[in-house]
Amino acid sequence: MELSKLLMPGAVRVVGQLTGKKRLFQELGEMAAQAYGLNAATATDGLQEREILGPTGVGHGIALPHTRLYDIDRIVAVFLRMEKPLDYDSVDRQPVDLVFGLFAPKDSGVEHLKALALVSRTMRDAGICAKLRANTDPDKLHAILTEARSTQAA
């Protein structure tokens, strides 16, 4: 599995600031709708429902919201960089500025977990995060995220 197969260039965006987590999930849902043809409301609702189970803010300014949906046939991703960090109730109580959203088929099981692990490993790389924070061009952000990031024999 490779990030370049999950994250299309048109699914990367930079925004100045968002007013809250609900607005963030709406933005991610709209991005998924534009890039992959998902239903924006369904995608947004899925992210919000998953977040109720526990915050997806993993620390160090990073959030990995994810959901499983019925109206999708493969795992897809969106990436959002916020210029003004958002209070997110992360595990380390730090605001979030890098958000990597995943949308998977309802029955994806292990594949969804593999994709989440891949994204998590990528976003734990301090060098990658520094490059993401230093750039505002969506094409450059996509290139940073997708260059040579693939799973080992998992």
Side-chain angles (χ1 to χ4, degrees):
M1 183 176 298
E2 297 177 8
L3 281 182
S4 61
K5 302 270 195 272
L6 303 177
L7 181 67
M8 298 294 109
V12 177
R13 192 175 287 171
V14 176
V15 297
Q17 77 179 73
L18 296 170
T19 54
K21 214 187 266 196
K22 182 177 181 178
R23 181 65 193 107
L24 169 64
F25 293 153
Q26 289 172 336
E27 184 78 17
L28 296 175
E30 291 167 10
M31 290 171 65
Q34 290 172 1
Y36 306 108
L38 299 183
N39 179 291
T42 302
T44 300
D45 290 347
L47 293 173
Q48 290 175 325
E49 288 170 16
R50 165 56 189 85
E51 196 70 17
I52 291 169
L53 301 176
T56 55
V58 297
H60 306 286
I62 300 163
L64 307 177
H66 54 281
T67 188
R68 295 183 193 201
L69 305 170
Y70 286 109
D71 62 348
I72 183 173
D73 60 2
R74 67 182 183 96
I75 300 171
V76 296
V78 296
F79 178 80
L80 183 67
R81 179 186 173 281
M82 293 182 283
E83 292 177 355
K84 183 172 190 265
L86 173 71
D87 184 25
Y88 196 89
D89 299 322
S90 296
V91 295
D92 64 356
R93 302 187 191 278
Q94 297 300 309
V96 163
D97 63 338
L98 301 176
V99 182
F100 205 118
L102 276 178
F103 302 89
K106 201 67 150 165
D107 61 355
S108 60
V110 171
E111 288 303 307
H112 177 233
L113 296 177
K114 285 182 180 179
L116 196 53
L118 173 62
V119 170
S120 179
R121 275 193 308 276
T122 302
M123 298 307 292
R124 274 195 311 251
D125 184 317
I128 289 175
C129 289
K131 289 178 186 177
L132 292 170
R133 289 183 171 114
N135 285 282
T136 56
D137 176 22
D139 292 332
K140 179 70 172 163
L141 296 173
H142 181 265
I144 292 165
L145 286 165
T146 57
E147 65 185 21
R149 285 282 157 201
S150 61
T151 59
Q152 309 306 321

